[in-house]
Amino acid sequence: MSAPAAKVSKKELNSNHDGADETSEKEQQEAIEHIDEVQNEIDRLNEQASEEILKVEQKYNKLRQPFFQKRSELIAKIPNFWVTTFVNHPQVSALLGEEDEEALHYLTRVEVTEFEDIKSGYRIDFYFDENPYFENKVLSKEFHLNESGDPSSKSTEIKWKSGKDLTKRSSQTQNKASRKRQHEEPESFFTWFTDHSDAGADELGEVIKDDIWPNPLQYYLVPDMDDEEGEGEEDDYDDEEEEGLEDIDEEGDEDEGEEDEDDDEGEEGEEDEGEDD
């Protein structure tokens, strides 16, 4: 048999294996260097793509402006459009207390404006009718990103009317609510204008800019779930009533059937008596 001649000693195996390891390590190092070079090319292309995408965004931002303006004019014809939109939005509604909703009934227009270069930030403007809460006609909040990438924000100072500062009253309302309903009311929506603690992760600003502003109508038209639930309960009640009536009818039919049987038995008894006579 030729099998024994094909055997290789452990020493030879180890020697070959070590040589393979040395070769593979060298190849791996070369591969890593090449990967790094290729990655640099990918990064360079990504930067070029970002610049091109930015130019396209700037172009279409300008093209969208007339349509945003037309939409705002049409929205102005619908009373309480914006407060309804905010109340119907799951994330924004979680930030609204009862008095916030009352104040937002005076909100007539919302505008989101990205800065011309887009990458440096945006501004959100809220336009209000004369109202019992504050003197401002417009409340704004701006978000900035400087050249080094550091975020910051600034906003309009709200000129509250006497005794109407919702940001101060929210804590009192919260305490009362927690005693009554065992859960906390949200802080006032208007505290958002004074909160600049984390401009780089401003959740409400991002929701308004990226979710609500592109298509507010989808949230304005969200059906009222309470009404739907109420209708469902009425339908269930009607079904129960109908079932109850059917049961009564069936019972009535059974009683009539029993009466007919009793009548038949009575007639048969009378006939038997006649035959006996």
Side-chain angles (χ1 to χ4, degrees):
M1 292 178 66
S2 59
K7 286 183 179 179
V8 181
S9 68
K10 285 186 179 181
K11 186 175 180 181
E12 289 175 340
L13 276 173
N14 291 336
S15 175
N16 292 338
H17 185 66
D18 292 342
D21 285 347
E22 287 175 7
T23 304
S24 64
E25 283 179 10
K26 184 179 178 182
E27 288 176 350
Q28 287 176 25
Q29 185 59 39
E30 289 176 355
I32 288 171
E33 290 173 4
H34 287 308
I35 289 170
D36 188 47
E37 291 172 3
V38 172
Q39 191 62 51
N40 288 335
E41 290 298 317
I42 293 171
D43 292 342
R44 186 176 60 79
L45 287 172
N46 287 341
E47 286 177 12
Q48 288 181 358
S50 296
E51 291 173 6
E52 293 296 325
I53 290 167
L54 202 58
K55 289 176 184 176
V56 172
E57 280 295 325
Q58 290 169 345
K59 173 186 174 181
Y60 281 93
N61 260 0
K62 290 178 181 177
L63 293 174
R64 282 190 285 259
Q65 291 311 310
F67 295 98
F68 285 144
Q69 181 61 34
K70 180 64 176 176
R71 189 182 69 183
S72 291
E73 291 170 4
L74 294 169
I75 286 174
K77 299 178 181 181
I78 304 173
N80 301 322
F81 178 92
W82 284 109
V83 66
T84 303
T85 298
F86 287 157
V87 168
N88 285 343
H89 191 283
Q91 288 170 274
V92 179
S93 62
L95 305 173
L96 298 177
E98 289 182 12
E99 286 188 292
D100 292 330
E101 287 186 33
E102 288 299 319
L104 289 174
H105 274 83
Y106 297 92
L107 178 62
T108 58
R109 193 163 97 234
V110 174
E111 298 286 345
V112 175
T113 306
E114 291 188 276
F115 299 151
E116 191 171 350
D117 65 353
I118 297 179
K119 60 184 178 182
S120 66
Y122 63 96
R123 185 181 72 252
I124 304 176
D125 298 311
F126 297 78
Y127 295 79
F128 289 86
D129 276 340
E130 179 68 30
N131 65 80
Y133 295 95
F134 43 81
E135 302 288 349
N136 310 71
K137 299 295 183 187
V138 183
L139 297 178
S140 303
K141 188 167 184 178
E142 293 184 6
F143 298 88
H144 296 267
L145 200 65
N146 64 21
E147 291 180 1
S148 60
D150 298 324
S152 62
S153 63
K154 62 180 182 178
S155 59
T156 307
E157 181 183 352
I158 304 176
K159 298 176 182 177
W160 295 102
K161 293 182 179 180
S162 179
K164 293 292 185 178
D165 189 339
L166 299 181
T167 62
K168 291 180 179 177
R169 297 163 65 184
S170 63
S171 59
Q172 298 172 0
T173 306
Q174 179 175 317
N175 290 337
K176 289 178 183 177
S178 61
R179 284 197 300 269
K180 287 182 181 178
R181 292 182 286 176
Q182 299 300 313
H183 73 271
E184 294 184 352
E185 282 281 319
E187 285 188 3
S188 173
F189 170 85
F190 292 92
T191 58
W192 175 68
F193 288 94
T194 58
D195 183 8
H196 305 291
S197 59
D198 193 1
D202 192 299
E203 205 170 316
L204 179 55
E206 290 172 4
V207 163
I208 293 172
K209 179 176 78 77
D210 298 329
D211 189 14
I212 295 176
W213 175 247
N215 184 7
L217 188 64
Q218 64 177 322
Y219 293 107
Y220 176 78
L221 295 176
V222 170
D224 191 329
M225 298 306 293
D226 291 338
D227 290 346
E228 286 193 349
E229 287 172 6
E231 287 173 6
E233 288 171 2
E234 286 177 7
D235 292 341
D236 292 342
Y237 180 72
D238 291 340
D239 292 341
E240 287 174 5
E241 272 194 340
E242 287 177 7
E243 287 175 5
L245 290 172
E246 287 174 3
D247 292 341
I248 292 170
D249 290 340
E250 287 173 2
E251 288 175 3
D253 293 339
E254 288 175 2
D255 292 342
E256 285 177 6
E258 289 174 1
E259 287 177 3
D260 291 341
E261 287 177 4
D262 292 341
D263 291 342
D264 292 341
E265 288 175 0
E267 287 175 3
E268 288 174 1
E270 288 175 2
E271 286 177 3
D272 293 339
E273 286 177 3
E275 287 175 2
D276 292 340
D277 292 341

